[in-house]
Amino acid sequence: MKELFLYNTRTRSKDNKFQSIKPFFVGMYTCGPTVYNYAHIGNLRTYVFEDILKRVLMYNDYKVKHVMNITDVGHLIGDRDMGEDKLEKHAKLENKSAWDIAKFYTEEFKKNIKDLNIIEPNIWCKATDNIKAQIKLIKKLEKRGYTYQTSDGIYFNTSKFKDYTKLSHQNLENLQEGARIEKNEEKKNSTDFALWKFSPKDQKRQMEWKSPWGIGFPGWHIECSAMSMKYLKKYLDIHCGGIDHINIHHTNEIAQSEAATGKQFFNYWIHGEFLNIASGEKMAKSEENFLRLQSLIDKNINPLAFRLMCLGTHYRKPLIYSETAIQNFNTVLNNVINGYRSILEKIDPNKSPEKIEQNPILIDFEKAINDDMNMAVAFSYYYDLLVSGNNYSPELRKELVLHMDKVIGLELNNIKIEKIQIPQNIIQLAEKRKIAREQKKWDESDRLRNEINQLEYDIEDTKDGYTIKNKLNNFKTN
Ligand code: AMP
Ligand code: ZN
């Protein structure tokens, strides 16, 4: 087996070779969307990085069991259990039921996933479908003496859990001080968090359930502990999310899970950095800087250009989004597709596919992906093969790019490659340009190229003449 190195937030290092609990099998849990609004491209960056991770594992011959939750209840406006439930609040704003809101935004999220070629998890699980498992876990914590009751819910006592900040490496005293700003006088420690919240006495919530402590709903963190253990059993290999989850959500998941089981909760914690806008601000659902994938599609950007943009910056570095950058990645995507098409055109159907094992480019590619997912470098090998070819035969280039594409994930084989009909006037301009070049009339030849470009076509000189390409819509995705 090849050696794979992944940066682990838990140990703060990528020094040790990745090792799963069971050989050739990985249990992977990724915190999913809170479905009260559309996902923005920042959220989607996180899901693309997780998809790359999964593909890298699969490339390394692991069978991956991937579980993703849908948070459809319990995520309050403040991550420390203050404020309204995000779903109930948005249901009121949109004049719909919380259930309809959840259903609508879950479907929208799944469309985004598909558009970005993100492989679907093996298990989608909703918090509202798993209330029993959450209550069971809270009961276990209660029995072990980790909980206490206040007027608004059941809380986890963080002071009873040794090493509460072991994932975040935060200074606990500063943290207690900082968290005190969000006043909840009844909490024993300001880092304590809700396991179960009671419905308000004077009002009926849309989403509420009976429990041994009273009618209410689960806290946000408990769902991920309960569902990851329920669906992955003892194969708690990798848990992922965005970096914002390190300090509160994942810290609390670890505290409550390890308090309940006495065992380590997940061996690898892998976190993706934010997508920011040019001013350095984080893209957030609550901010006006919110951009959806659909906004890119409306501007004729192929969603897969956004996938490439995510690959262009290492997942542990901030990705700065700008319109110019996404336009550039759209061009890169067009080059990839044109490159693949020209390979297919040159393939000799009578030749059998070439062997790719031990090819030096593939070895370099594997080294890059296995070095904590260095995708920018990995992509450069793929791109070179598509656009320049490294003097390889078209048959070998095809085999190599399709092999690498298992990780890059453009799914070149599924992209519908249409032979385009070049209009007659463009062909005439190209012919005139060819004659101008033969007569070494370079100014005239440049002028004709400009004219062709203005009509949204491009011309590429080849050994035997030229190729005409449609600049914008020379491909279609399924
Ligand atoms: P949410 O739907 O708010 O629970 O977030 C879904 C995922 O997106 C989580 O893993 C977050 O950590 C992640 N996330 C939120 N904002 C950003 C951002 N600007 N860039 C990258 N990931 C983000
Ligand atoms: Zn979670």
Side-chain angles (χ1 to χ4, degrees):
M1 179 171 277
K2 297 154 210 144
E3 297 204 325
L4 168 62
F5 295 88
L6 296 169
Y7 183 86
N8 188 353
T9 311
R10 191 173 68 78
T11 57
R12 303 274 149 140
S13 85
K14 62 164 185 176
D15 294 341
N16 292 324
K17 196 177 101 178
F18 173 75
Q19 209 128 31
S20 57
I21 294 165
K22 181 168 137 186
F24 298 103
F25 178 85
V26 171
M28 174 170 166
Y29 185 90
T30 53
C31 288
T34 309
V35 284
Y36 67 100
N37 202 342
Y38 294 105
H40 56 63
I41 56 170
N43 302 128
L44 295 174
R45 179 195 187 190
T46 295
Y47 300 109
V48 170
F49 122 70
E50 292 164 349
D51 181 61
I52 296 290
L53 170 59
K54 180 165 152 185
R55 287 172 181 266
V56 167
L57 290 163
M58 287 158 62
Y59 188 99
N60 281 278
D61 301 325
Y62 289 100
K63 187 173 182 304
V64 180
K65 181 170 180 183
H66 177 197
V67 178
M68 193 189 293
N69 65 309
I70 299 282
T71 300
D72 53 356
V73 69
H75 196 164
L76 305 188
I77 303 290
D79 275 357
R80 289 203 184 276
D81 308 313
M82 305 295 281
E84 261 185 283
D85 182 317
K86 290 182 177 183
L87 263 117
E88 298 243 344
K89 180 180 170 192
H90 277 259
K92 269 184 233 150
L93 286 176
E94 293 192 30
N95 215 4
K96 289 185 189 156
S97 79
W99 299 98
D100 286 344
I101 289 277
K103 188 163 180 273
F104 177 80
Y105 290 113
T106 303
E107 289 314 313
E108 289 297 310
F109 176 70
K110 288 186 179 173
K111 277 187 216 157
N112 290 164
I113 293 287
K114 199 159 183 262
D115 282 346
L116 290 168
N117 286 355
I118 291 173
I119 304 171
E120 276 208 56
N122 305 82
I123 294 175
W124 290 104
C125 46
K126 292 197 285 183
T128 53
D129 281 344
N130 287 280
I131 301 294
K132 251 196 203 156
Q134 295 173 72
I135 291 178
K136 200 169 143 198
L137 189 57
I138 303 170
K139 273 164 86 177
K140 210 165 170 183
L141 288 168
E142 187 177 42
K143 219 163 147 194
R144 292 189 159 214
Y146 284 97
T147 66
Y148 62 91
Q149 182 160 349
T150 70
S151 59
D152 76 343
I154 304 295
Y155 281 78
F156 182 89
N157 188 341
T158 50
S159 67
K160 296 224 163 155
F161 182 72
K162 199 168 106 326
D163 266 350
Y164 173 69
T165 54
K166 66 179 175 181
L167 182 73
S168 68
H169 292 203
Q170 285 172 298
N171 176 315
L172 193 57
E173 273 168 32
N174 291 349
L175 186 63
Q176 299 286 21
E177 209 40 56
R180 211 158 282 153
I181 303 163
E182 290 185 278
K183 276 206 168 56
N184 180 342
E185 302 291 348
E186 291 180 75
K187 281 210 249 178
K188 293 190 178 170
N189 311 284
S190 46
T191 43
D192 293 354
F193 55 91
L195 298 164
W196 187 263
K197 288 275 260 185
F198 300 134
S199 294
K201 290 200 173 65
D202 50 349
Q203 149 211 144
K204 190 172 158 45
R205 278 174 50 93
Q206 296 185 37
M207 292 175 159
E208 57 181 20
W209 296 264
K210 282 191 191 139
S211 82
W213 313 280
I215 292 179
F217 58 101
W220 169 39
H221 317 294
I222 197 76
E223 68 176 84
C224 288
S225 293
M227 296 193 283
S228 58
M229 291 195 266
K230 172 175 167 182
Y231 293 108
L232 293 175
K233 306 267 185 303
K234 58 181 178 181
Y235 302 111
L236 304 177
D237 288 301
I238 303 182
H239 194 130
C240 301
I243 46 160
D244 52 335
H245 284 348
I246 299 173
N247 289 350
I248 301 180
H249 183 50
H250 290 167
T251 286
N252 292 348
E253 277 189 47
I254 290 175
Q256 68 199 1
S257 308
E258 296 190 358
T261 64
K263 292 193 197 123
Q264 180 166 289
F265 182 61
F266 282 96
N267 291 339
Y268 291 84
W269 288 83
I270 304 186
H271 294 98
E273 248 288 358
F274 283 145
L275 176 142
N276 297 329
I277 52 168
S279 62
E281 261 173 79
K282 168 197 166 192
M283 186 168 286
K285 284 183 185 168
S286 51
E287 304 289 333
E288 278 175 17
N289 61 26
F290 186 132
L291 208 52
R292 290 168 50 196
L293 193 61
Q294 188 58 44
S295 329
L296 307 191
I297 298 170
D298 292 343
K299 287 185 182 156
N300 273 331
I301 303 285
N302 188 316
L304 295 177
F306 179 68
R307 184 178 174 96
L308 287 189
M309 184 183 226
C310 295
L311 265 61
T313 300
H314 191 263
Y315 77 95
R316 285 196 288 120
K317 299 245 161 67
L319 166 61
I320 315 288
Y321 176 84
S322 74
E323 191 132 330
T324 319
I326 194 68
Q327 290 289 358
N328 288 341
F329 278 103
N330 209 39
T331 307
V332 171
L333 177 68
N334 284 352
N335 295 344
V336 165
I337 293 165
N338 288 331
Y340 188 61
R341 180 171 50 202
S342 83
I343 292 176
L344 292 189
E345 280 170 0
K346 289 178 198 139
I347 294 263
D348 179 349
N350 300 317
K351 275 195 186 165
S352 50
E354 297 205 31
K355 289 241 174 327
I356 54 170
E357 290 84 12
Q358 300 307 318
N359 184 290
I361 296 195
L362 206 55
I363 291 171
D364 288 342
F365 176 84
E366 286 170 8
K367 233 190 233 161
I369 61 169
N370 283 352
D371 178 16
D372 196 29
M373 297 184 268
N374 193 344
M375 296 311 297
V377 169
F379 181 75
S380 69
Y381 299 124
Y382 171 90
Y383 193 69
D384 280 355
L385 276 171
L386 283 157
V387 297
S388 69
N390 308 62
N391 296 326
Y392 288 163
S393 72
E395 291 76 19
L396 182 58
R397 284 166 71 194
K398 181 183 171 203
E399 290 306 307
L400 285 169
V401 292
L402 287 183
H403 195 73
M404 294 177 180
D405 197 50
K406 290 180 189 166
V407 180
I408 304 289
L410 294 182
E411 296 178 10
L412 287 174
N413 251 352
N414 293 332
I415 289 181
K416 215 199 271 165
I417 299 189
E418 296 183 333
K419 277 228 168 211
I420 48 168
Q421 285 290 328
I422 308 287
Q424 213 43 46
N425 61 328
I426 304 286
I427 296 174
Q428 276 167 6
L429 287 170
E431 278 300 307
K432 268 197 204 166
R433 183 172 169 276
K434 188 176 164 206
I435 294 165
R437 281 171 63 82
E438 280 162 6
Q439 296 173 348
K440 301 205 174 357
K441 292 181 181 166
W442 306 120
D443 286 350
E444 172 72 354
S445 141
D446 285 349
R447 191 190 62 73
L448 286 160
R449 174 195 281 274
N450 278 341
E451 203 174 324
I452 291 169
N453 285 166
Q454 272 160 21
L455 294 166
E456 299 300 342
Y457 285 82
D458 204 356
I459 192 155
E460 195 181 282
D461 297 310
T462 61
K463 262 194 291 179
D464 316 314
Y466 55 81
T467 314
I468 305 173
K469 291 176 175 168
N470 174 332
K471 274 172 77 178
L472 287 177
N473 298 315
N474 50 359
F475 62 89
K476 260 193 170 168
T477 53
N478 283 328

